[in-house]
């Protein structure tokens, strides 16, 4: 086993996109967190997975609601969202950010570059995270440049 800081240093070389995974609390309020651990899982059926820390406030709400949305962030304004949703603040995270409930009820942010609305079909334990497997019920995307995350910093894709 290697130690956590070494693991973070090495795995940080795997560049990812950045998303905000949203759901709803028991009182109906929107909740969410910044997530880089997102992956396509299956084409038939269409499944995606997200890995959410047991320590995250949103974790319990996703489990309870049984749905979530993956909001893929764009460079520029998306970085502000990524920083905000990676901090504390509960409902405050959504202040000044337009969103709508999608088919499952999960909040989809107007500023998303792409989004996937998912019903949880499995919750698998993986160490200190839960892997939420989501069946994709609705999704869309628009033109734009994605926000990237690499070695602890934000960046943009250039072709
Ligand atoms: C770029 C970036 C990627 C992150 N990826 C994840 C992730 O994949 N899973 C996770 O549980 N937390 C991830 N986090 C940390 C959460 O966003 C952070 O712990 C957040 O405060 C949790 O919010 P909550 O407690 O309101 O749910 C990431 C943070 C950043 C900045």
């Amino acid at each position: 086993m290697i130690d956590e800081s070494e693991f973070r240093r090495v795995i940080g070389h795997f560049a990812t996109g950045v998303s905000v995974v949203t759901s709803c609390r028991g009182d109906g309020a929107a909740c969410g967190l910044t997530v880089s651990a997102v992956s396509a899982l299956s084409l038939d059926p269409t499944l995606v997975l997200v890995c959410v820390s047991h320590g995250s406030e949103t974790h319990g709400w996703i489990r309870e609601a049984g749905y979530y949305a993956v909001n893929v962030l764009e460079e520029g304004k998306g970085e502000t969202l990524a920083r905000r949703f990676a901090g504390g603040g509960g409902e405050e995270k959504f202040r000044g950010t337009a969103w709508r409930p999608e088919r499952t009820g999960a909040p989809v942010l107007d500023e998303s570059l792409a989004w996937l609305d998912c019903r949880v079909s499995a919750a698998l334990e993986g160490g200190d995270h839960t892997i939420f497997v989501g069946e994709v019920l609705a999704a869309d995307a628009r033109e734009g440049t994605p926000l990237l995350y690499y070695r602890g910093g934000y960046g943009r894709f250039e072709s």
Side-chain angles (χ1 to χ4, degrees):
M1 296 273 273
I2 62 166
D3 71 22
E4 185 182 323
S5 62
E6 183 64 353
F7 176 63
R8 282 177 182 271
R9 185 185 72 78
V10 174
I11 201 69
H13 288 71
F14 183 59
T16 65
V18 186
S19 68
V20 168
V21 171
T22 53
S23 190
C24 290
R25 300 187 333 200
D27 63 3
C31 60
L33 79 164
T34 301
V35 170
S36 57
V38 175
S39 179
L41 175 63
S42 163
L43 296 177
D44 184 16
T46 49
L47 301 174
V48 294
L49 66 82
V50 298
C51 303
V52 180
S53 168
H54 294 164
S56 150
E57 275 188 32
T58 312
H59 177 274
W61 297 125
I62 295 174
R63 198 179 266 284
E64 203 162 296
Y67 59 74
Y68 62 84
V70 178
N71 294 269
V72 178
L73 299 180
E74 193 170 24
E75 59 105 10
K77 282 184 185 170
E79 185 173 333
T80 308
L81 289 173
R83 291 182 190 282
R84 193 183 324 144
F85 278 84
E91 228 181 318
E92 283 298 298
K93 291 177 173 180
F94 290 82
R95 187 182 288 258
T97 300
W99 61 272
R100 65 179 184 284
E102 252 305 320
R103 195 177 302 181
T104 62
V108 167
L109 310 180
D110 286 7
E111 285 177 18
S112 297
L113 177 61
W115 57 268
L116 302 105
D117 183 28
C118 307
R119 180 168 57 209
V120 174
S121 64
L124 313 168
E125 291 312 310
D128 55 9
H129 281 56
T130 298
I131 304 159
F132 288 107
V133 176
E135 189 183 348
V136 182
L137 301 187
D140 202 2
R142 59 177 173 79
E143 289 302 312
T145 310
L147 177 64
L148 302 184
Y149 195 67
Y150 179 64
R151 297 183 67 185
Y154 295 97
R156 58 173 288 176
F157 181 77
E158 284 192 25
S159 52

